[in-house]
C-alpha cells in the first residue's frame, strides 16, 4: 500500500491565514429573494465573483503557490481557464514565471485574461487531458512546479476555506450546493463542512454533458469521459485516471450529485442576471439550475449555492440575456426570454 497524505482541518485553517494577501476572504453571502421564494427556504449566494481573478480558484492557487519550495522559479498547470488565471495571478504576486496549458475548448476571454497577467498561455490539444500532457512535460523536463487544478492538497485546502466561511456566516446552513468538476472545490468544502457540522447536506452539481466525477463515482473509480462544449465550460475536463485526492474526498463527503442540462444552465444564468443582478458564468449557475428544475430533493432548509466565477464569454452572455439561441460545438441551445 502506498502512503497517501490526507487532508486535515488544520491545513484549511492554515490556508486561510496564508492566502490573505492574494485572495479575498470572507466574500459576501447575500440572500437571493428569487431563489428563496422558489425553494420556500432561505437560499444564499456565496459570491466568489469578486476575487481578483474573477473566480474562487485564486484561493487554492494562492495557497499552492505560497507553499512551493523557496528555490522554485516557475509554475505550470493545465486549466479550463480559471485555474490558469488564478495561478498566473498568484505567480506574479510571488515573482514566478507561469506557463498555462489549455485546450482549444477554452474560451478566448479566459486566454486573454491570462496573457494580461503576464503569463504564457499555451493552447494545446482538444481536451484538458491533452493540455495536461504538456504541463507534465514542463514539470518533468524543464523544472517547472506543476499545480493541479483540483488534485493537489494545497489547492484543495485553499478551496476548503470557503467551507469555514460559510458556517461562520450562517451556522444554521443545512444544504450547500457546489458546482462540481475535478472535485477540488467540492472535496475541500465538503470536508470542512462535514468536519465542523456532520449533519449538513452537501450536493455536487454538474452538467449532463461530460460529467467526469459523476461517472467516476458511479463506476467506483476514476473513469474517462468525452469532453464536449458546455455553457458550464469551467466544469469540463476529466478527473485524472491516477486521481489521488479529490475523488476520494468527493466519494466520502458528498451526499449526492445532481446533473443539469444546458437549457437549465441557460435559464439559471438569465435568472441570476435579471433577478439577482449578477453576471456569472455557466459553472456558477448550476446550483440555481438544479433548484429551478426541482432536482434537489426534499426540504432543503437554509441553503447556500456557490457563485464560483464571472469569467463568461460576453458574446454568449449577452445572447443569453437577450434570449437568443446559443451555438455550442455541434449543438444549439434554444433561446427564450427570461420569464420571472
Ligand atoms: C474550476 C471551477 C469549478 C469546479 O471546481 P473543481 O474543483 O474542478 O470541481 C466551478 N466553477 C468555476 C467557475 C470553476 O472555475
Amino acid at each position: 500500500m502506498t502512503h497517501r497524505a490526507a487532508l486535515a482541518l488544520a491545513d484549511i485553517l492554515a490556508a486561510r491565514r496564508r492566502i490573505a494577501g492574494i485572495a479575498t476572504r470572507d466574500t459576501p453571502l447575500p440572500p437571493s429573494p428569487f431563489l428563496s421564494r422558489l425553494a420556500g427556504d432561505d437560499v444564499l449566494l456565496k459570491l466568489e465573483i469578486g476575487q481578483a481573478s474573477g473566480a474562487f480558484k485564486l484561493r487554492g492557487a494562492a495557497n499552492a503557490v505560497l507553499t512551493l519550495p523557496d528555490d522554485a522559479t516557475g509554475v505550470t498547470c493545465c486549466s479550463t481557464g480559471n485555474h490558469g488565471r488564478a495561478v498566473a495571478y498568484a505567480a506574479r504576486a510571488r515573482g514566478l514565471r507561469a506557463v498555462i496549458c489549455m485546450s482549444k475548448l477554452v474560451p478566448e476571454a479566459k486566454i486573454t485574461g491570462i496573457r494580461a497577467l503576464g503569463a504564457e498561455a499555451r493552447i494545446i490539444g482538444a481536451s484538458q487531458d491533452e493540455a495536461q500532457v504538456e504541463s507534465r512535460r514542463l514539470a518533468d523536463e524543464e523544472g517547472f512546479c506543476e499545480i493541479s487544478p483540483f488534485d493537489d492538497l494545497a489547492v484543495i485546502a485553499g478551496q476548503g476555506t470557503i467551507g469555514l466561511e460559510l458556517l461562520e456566516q450562517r451556522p444554521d446552513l443545512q444544504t450547500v450546493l457546489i458546482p462540481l468538476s475535478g472535485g477540488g472545490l467540492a472535496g475541500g468544502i465538503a470536508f470542512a463542512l462535514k468536519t465542523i457540522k456532520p449533519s449538513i447536506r452537501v450536493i455536487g452539481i454538474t452538467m449532463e454533458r461530460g460529467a467526469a466525477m459523476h461517472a467516476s463515482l458511479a463506476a467506483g473509480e476514476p473513469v474517462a469521459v468525452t469532453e464536449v462544449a458546455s455553457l458550464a465550460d469551467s466544469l469540463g475536463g476529466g478527473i485524472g485516471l491516477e486521481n489521488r485526492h479529490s475523488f476520494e474526498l468527493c466519494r466520502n463527503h458528498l451526499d449526492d450529485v445532481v446533473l443539469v442540462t444546458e437549457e437549465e444552465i441557460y435559464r439559471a444564468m438569465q435568472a441570476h442576471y435579471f433577478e439577482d443582478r449578477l453576471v456569472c458564468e455557466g459553472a456558477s449557475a448550476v446550483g440555481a439550475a438544479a433548484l429551478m428544475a426541482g432536482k434537489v430533493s426534499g426540504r432543503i432548509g437554509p441553503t447556500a449555492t456557490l457563485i464560483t466565477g464571472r469569467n463568461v464569454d460576453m458574446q454568449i452572455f449577452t445572447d443569453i440575456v437577450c434570449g437568443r439561441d446559443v451555438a455550442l460545438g455541434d449543438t444549439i441551445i434554444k433561446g427564450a426570454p427570461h420569464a420571472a
Side-chain angles (χ1 to χ4, degrees):
M1 204 170 111
T2 53
H3 175 72
R4 179 182 299 189
L7 185 65
L9 195 61
D11 300 325
I12 302 177
L13 291 163
R16 172 151 72 167
R17 288 189 296 276
R18 193 177 291 123
I19 66 177
I22 296 180
T24 301
R25 301 180 304 177
D26 300 315
T27 51
L29 185 68
S32 165
F34 169 74
L35 290 175
S36 302
R37 220 165 34 242
L38 188 99
D41 270 302
D42 280 0
V43 177
L44 305 133
L45 309 173
K46 181 63 169 164
L47 294 183
E48 288 294 304
I49 51 182
Q51 294 289 352
S53 67
F56 77 87
K57 284 213 172 65
L58 195 48
R59 294 176 185 254
N63 195 42
V65 164
L66 293 173
T67 48
L68 289 178
D70 287 339
D71 60 0
T73 54
V75 292
T76 186
C77 66
C78 64
S79 171
T80 52
N82 284 337
H83 176 62
R85 192 157 171 166
V87 167
Y89 187 93
R92 190 178 64 169
R94 223 195 112 169
L96 297 174
R97 180 175 168 214
V99 179
I100 315 300
C101 305
M102 289 168 286
S103 84
K104 61 179 199 299
L105 287 179
V106 173
E108 195 57 37
K110 289 190 161 124
I111 298 166
T112 311
I114 286 166
R115 293 202 169 119
L117 288 167
E120 180 186 332
R122 227 170 254 192
I123 310 305
I124 208 144
S127 70
Q128 160 101 332
D129 286 346
E130 289 176 37
Q132 207 211 333
V133 174
E134 175 65 4
S135 68
R136 182 60 46 82
R137 192 194 65 76
L138 285 166
D140 290 345
E141 295 175 14
E142 297 186 31
F144 282 81
C145 297
E146 188 183 19
I147 301 176
S148 162
F150 53 81
D151 202 23
D152 174 304
L153 283 179
V155 168
I156 293 171
Q159 324 303 31
T161 58
I162 295 172
L164 304 177
E165 293 175 14
L166 283 171
L167 284 179
E168 284 168 6
Q169 290 169 308
R170 280 294 295 252
D172 62 335
L173 280 181
Q174 286 180 26
T175 305
V176 177
L177 308 179
I178 310 181
L180 175 65
S181 176
L185 178 68
I189 295 179
F191 176 87
L193 290 172
K194 297 260 178 173
T195 305
I196 299 168
K197 181 173 177 175
S199 68
I200 202 159
R201 183 153 75 122
V202 188
I203 303 176
I205 324 251
T206 192
M207 69 290 187
E208 278 183 4
R209 290 157 57 100
M213 182 62 84
H214 179 257
S216 300
L217 291 171
E221 62 181 1
V223 295
V225 296
T226 309
E227 194 174 343
V228 288
S230 168
L231 285 178
D233 53 88
S234 291
L235 302 185
I239 70 163
L241 297 179
E242 309 285 299
N243 189 292
R244 288 175 303 155
H245 308 292
S246 65
F247 173 72
E248 206 64 25
L249 284 166
C250 287
R251 177 158 69 178
N252 292 341
H253 302 293
L254 287 185
D255 294 289
D256 206 356
V257 175
V258 168
L259 303 180
V260 292
T261 66
E262 295 300 313
E263 287 72 22
E264 287 162 355
I265 297 170
Y266 181 111
R267 284 194 287 278
M269 289 171 78
Q270 280 183 329
H272 276 315
Y273 178 76
F274 285 102
E275 307 291 342
D276 302 312
R277 306 297 201 258
L278 287 181
V279 175
C280 66
E281 56 177 285
S284 296
V286 294
L291 288 172
M292 289 166 66
K295 288 183 170 175
V296 181
S297 61
R299 184 82 204 274
I300 56 174
T303 295
T305 183
L306 266 78
I307 307 298
T308 44
R310 59 150 193 247
N311 296 328
V312 63
D313 179 295
M314 286 314 275
Q315 184 57 54
I316 292 181
F317 188 74
T318 44
D319 284 345
I320 291 174
V321 164
C322 297
R324 292 192 282 261
D325 293 356
V326 173
L328 263 190
D330 52 4
T331 51
I332 300 220
I333 303 161
K334 208 74 206 102
H338 171 66

